[in-house]
Structure formats: structure tokens, C-alpha cells
């Protein structure tokens, strides 16, 4: 049986300190569940922090890079997929994950949450403000959850994956 | 010089009557400006209505299809690009347009607006509620405009294209 | 009814003088038939020459660019599709054409001929040596033709499009 | 340091018995070297056989699927990447591998060998006839090798990876 893959999406260069902090904790918690972490694979922001967290907890990490080569890739990526697709790779991030956690928000992350809702994947919003929560709830309330903490996000994932 | 291409994005099957009505008017107005209309090319919702409007005004229409063949394609598409990329083609819609108008909102449309903001393309929101407007303004206020009518959207496009 | 689109594929920087010469003549002949010319859209080699030829004969040209912007684009492209997909865009070239003519051979062109054979599109080889002809005939003889001149290529296209 | 990833490409439904036999042996040999096996991930032909071989030798397998879901996926795939890109995913297979072995030949495989030569990746042809060998040698002799046996392929990979 294929191991569960959890995608963590979030801002790159525009990530806040709190986004990176929570992403690292989230990456560790995902690895501790025995799940594989999937990110956009770059060496910045939420991608970098989540991948670092997962490695520190002994997990396996996948990075779906927008580039053709490993320039700008996180060193915490174990399995690197080089797409050379730019932002079109965002849809692969979503389709290759059993569920998605958005940790913070930016334009790229918003496209991934929207594509995940379209693909009927479970999506959890973490570190997102009320406007963001309301916008995505209006788009699709069926497969969207709001989490206030990493523990809450993990509990929702456990439930969503049992249901799914 | 390359002719100006305006992308009109909006819900497919989930489009409201008002979205289709405004999209048709918008397609006609774009064609009347001598601009080329670009859509996702399917025979439903905002894509179909905008393409029909542009053809009635004697314009040229491009459709960027998610499929490999013309099954489900609008008959009002003149130039059909078959991508077989599913939702990954949304980024091509954005990159191939000088500016984007979202007419109504859905998960696919949200991904296109987000990708357009990321690519620094001028984006106009038409037929969108306050929450949607506030969400995208928070993401990027620099290249986002709100329009209440088709006339207003055309005026904003004229200004944005002169500036750009 | 959608206008017939003929894709002309061939080397970029590696094109020979004879490839560019024949490509220009071919582009003109395609335009003279009232067909739309589709190429990879760059300002070099067979793409550039075929697009120039089509424009001189008053035709319409589509360019499917590997890039996100118009840097390196042929000025003879009317309709530019910016994919930002690198070589993954080669499959879009193939799927968006009713038939393909390879004019000369290189690694990128070989991938396009192979993808076209896989997609069951009519393919014509022009300016190709015996080894190339034999290789592709072994892959799929059903939808592959060899042409010695532009006139022959046009005649084969007319027949293939009537049959198809 | 990123683990070495070897891509094995070859026909799906059109694979010969000898292609599947050699692919299984090749998958095992790659796993025995401690390398990760990457394939197109489907449950047929060379992809299936190579993945099965790698799993029997205790290796890790990546599958880059053309689809959005796991329908038609090999059960011997550990890490599944769902691209929904159809044949456009062939370029990702190539870019994500340190080197490529083609085991047998078909239209899809030909596109992958051509894209790999374009991307300057080391490519080994196994189970390929003289015409195929001559065709690709004409395209690019610098990074192309011919192997007669799995052992020879492994030895070439060891050398190519040390040089690369």
C-alpha cells in the first residue's frame, strides 16, 4: 500500500517568522506519524522549514521543484522531482498528496489551495486570517478545515484520511 | 506587434446566470476593442458565454483546453490549443494574456487569479463578492482592480495596458 | 468549423541552411492553402523561417513558446502561447496540430515526431536522412509519410486531412 | 546528498517478453546498487517489470504517472507522483533522473530518449536494434551509450555517474 503523503504549502520568500516556525513543527509532526512530507522543494520559507522539520524527526521528504535542476533546492529534500513547469507544477503538488495543509498564505499558496479544493482533496488552513478562511469556505466547505495548532491539524488529517 | 490578448476566466458548470450574462457582454466588448479573447475553451459557463459574445462582435477567440481533443470544446473557439494538462493549463491561460478579468468565482477561477497575481499580470474582479475582493487585495493590491460593470472593466483594461 | 492547423517542427539553433530554406518555403505553402501555421515560436532555425514564410504569404501563425515571456520569440508569431513548460510544451505543439511536418532533425524535433506518432497524428518527414526515416517507420508506419519536396508535403497533407 | 535516481523507460502495452524480462533484471540490479528506480509508474510493460524487479531486491521506486489518480498504477511503486499531464510528463521522467536506460523502444520511449539527449542526461540503449542505435547516435553521440547486457548497463552507469 502506498504510504500516506501530506503536502505542506506556504509562502516562499514572503513567509513570516511564525509561518516558518509552525511549518517546521508541522513537518516534524507529519514525519512522526509515519507520513511522507511533500512540498514545493525550494530552499526558502515554509517549504524549507517543513522539510527541515521532517528530516529532524527522521521522516522522508519529497520536493516537487518548479525548475529543471537542483539550483535553489532545499537540502532537506530526499526525493527531488524536477518538473521545469514553473507554477504549473502546483497542480502536481496537490494531486500527489493525500491531503494538503496550507501554512500561511501567498499567491502561490492560494493557487494550490484552490486547485486542491477543485480536486476534492482534504485541505487544512493553518496560520490563515479570517478573510482567507471565509473566502475558501465559500468556495468549498465540504473538504476544508481550519486548524489553530499543529496538533489540531494532525488530528484533522487523521480523521480525514480515515474517512477518505 | 502582437495583438493584445485579454483572458476571461470564470466558473464552468457552476456559473450563475448573471456570470454568463455579464461574460457574454464582456466578450463582445473585448472584441469591439480589437482585442483577442482568451478563455479555457470549454463549452460551458463563462468560457462559452464570453467566446459567444466575442464571436457575435466579430472578434477572434483563443481556447486553451485542458484536454487532448476537441470533446467538450466551445464552438465559438477559433484557435484551439489542446494541452492535455488538466488544471495545470490554468497557468498558460494567465501567462498568455496581457491582462485577466475574472467574471464570477469558483475553485478553478481562484487558482487563475492567484497565478495571475503571482505572475504580476493586471487582474480585474467582476461579479465577485466582498470577501473575494478582500482576500485577493490582501494577496496583492498592486495589480488588482475591482469593476462593477463591463464598461468599468474595459476602462481599467485600457489604462492598465497603457501603463503596462 | 475550426481552421486546419499544420505544425512545422525542426531544429532551432542547430538548423542547417537547407532546413531554414525549405522551412520558409513550407511556411508560405501552408499559408497559401489557407491553413494556420503552428511552431515552437522561437526566433531561430526552422521555427523562425517557417513563421516568416507564412507571414510573407499572408497567413496566420501560432507560436507555442517554452518560456513565460516573449524573450526570444519570433516577430513573425501572431498568436503567442506562453507555456513556461520548457520541453514539456512539445506535446502541446503536437496535440494542437491537425498534422505535423518535421523539417530537418534534432533532439527536440525527434521528441515531437515521437509524441505525434503516439498521438496518432499524421506526420511527414522532410529533409530527413534514411536512418531517421527507417527509425520512425519502424515505430509507426501507419501515420508516417516521407516527402522529398514542399509540393509533395502539401499533397500528402491534403490527402491526410481529407482521410482524417 | 540526494540519492542517485536511475530512470528506466520502455514500452508499456507494446513491450516484448524480452523487454519485460530484461527490465525486471535491470530494476533489481539498480536497487542492488543502492540507487532509486524511477519509471512512468504504470502497471504494464517495462515500467511494471522494472518496478517489480527493484522491489524484489529491496529498492525504492518512484512512479511519475501521466494520470491524476492511481488507476492503472503499478503496485510496485513506492512514491507516486500524479501529474495529470499525459505524455508531457515524459520530460519530468527525464529531468528527475541522473541517467536514463531505455529498455526496448516505442513512440513514448523514443520521446523520452530524445528529451534526455536534449537535457544532456546520460542515456543507455538496451534491447534496441541497429537502426535505433544509429538514429540516436546521429542526434547526440556525447551522452549516448549502447549496452548489450544488464551488467554492461550498470557498468556504464557507474562510470557516467562518476564523470557527471
Amino acid at each position: 500500500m502506498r504510504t500516506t503523503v501530506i503536502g505542506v504549502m506556504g509562502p516562499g520568500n514572503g513567509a513570516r517568522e511564525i509561518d516558518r516556525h509552525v511549518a517546521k513543527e508541522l513537518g516534524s509532526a507529519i514525519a512522526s506519524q509515519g507520513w511522507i512530507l511533500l512540498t514545493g522543494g525550494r530552499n526558502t520559507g515554509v517549504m524549507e522549514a517543513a522539510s527541515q522539520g521532517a528530516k529532524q524527526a527522521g521522516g522522508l521528504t519529497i520536493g516537487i521543484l518548479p525548475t529543471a535542476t537542483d539550483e535553489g533546492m532545499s537540502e532537506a529534500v530526499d526525493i527531488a522531482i524536477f518538473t521545469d513547469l514553473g507554477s504549473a507544477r502546483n497542480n502536481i503538488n496537490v494531486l500527489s498528496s493525500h491531503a494538503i495543509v496550507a501554512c500561511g498564505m501567498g499567491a502561490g499558496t492560494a493557487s494550490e489551495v484552490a486547485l486542491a479544493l477543485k480536486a476534492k482533496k482534504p485541505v487544512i488552513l493553518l496560520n490563515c486570517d479570517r478573510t482567507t478562511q471565509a473566502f475558501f469556505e465559500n468556495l468549498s466547505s465540504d473538504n476544508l478545515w481550519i486548524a489553530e495548532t499543529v496538533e489540531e491539524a494532525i488530528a484533522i488529517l487523521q480523521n480525514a484520511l480515515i474517512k477518505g
Side-chain angles (χ1 to χ4, degrees), chain A:
Chain A
M1 214 188 73
R2 192 160 75 91
T3 310
T4 296
V5 176
I6 305 298
V8 173
M9 312 293 148
N13 296 328
R16 300 167 300 178
E17 171 58 28
I18 181 76
D19 295 331
R20 290 193 299 271
H21 180 81
V22 171
K24 191 169 184 181
E25 199 189 330
L26 179 62
S28 291
I30 285 169
S32 298
Q33 294 290 324
W35 298 332
I36 295 174
L37 174 72
L38 183 149
T39 72
R42 297 200 300 115
N43 60 4
T44 178
V46 162
M47 296 172 268
E48 173 70 31
S51 301
Q52 295 282 1
K55 290 314 297 172
Q56 284 180 16
L60 187 72
T61 57
I62 302 175
I64 310 287
L65 279 301
T67 51
T69 67
D70 63 5
E71 206 186 314
M73 184 174 83
S74 168
E75 293 191 3
V77 164
D78 296 314
I79 307 281
I81 306 298
F82 298 105
T83 67
D84 199 20
L85 300 180
S87 292
R89 74 86 153 77
N90 292 4
N91 199 43
I92 302 181
N93 298 359
V94 160
L95 296 175
S96 302
S97 300
H98 288 90
I100 298 289
V101 185
C103 181
M105 189 49 53
T109 309
S111 77
E112 287 161 328
V113 169
L115 291 165
L117 293 176
K118 189 169 168 97
K120 310 287 183 203
K121 297 278 180 175
V123 176
I124 299 174
L125 301 182
L126 191 60
N127 278 15
C128 290
D129 63 26
R130 286 295 176 91
T131 302
T132 300
Q133 295 170 6
F135 172 68
F136 286 117
E137 275 177 341
N138 288 349
L139 280 189
S140 171
S141 56
D142 289 354
N143 48 331
L144 187 79
W145 285 268
I146 313 292
E148 300 296 331
T149 63
V150 167
E151 291 70 32
E152 220 177 301
I154 296 292
I156 295 167
L157 286 169
Q158 290 170 329
N159 274 321
L161 297 171
I162 289 163
K163 284 200 311 182

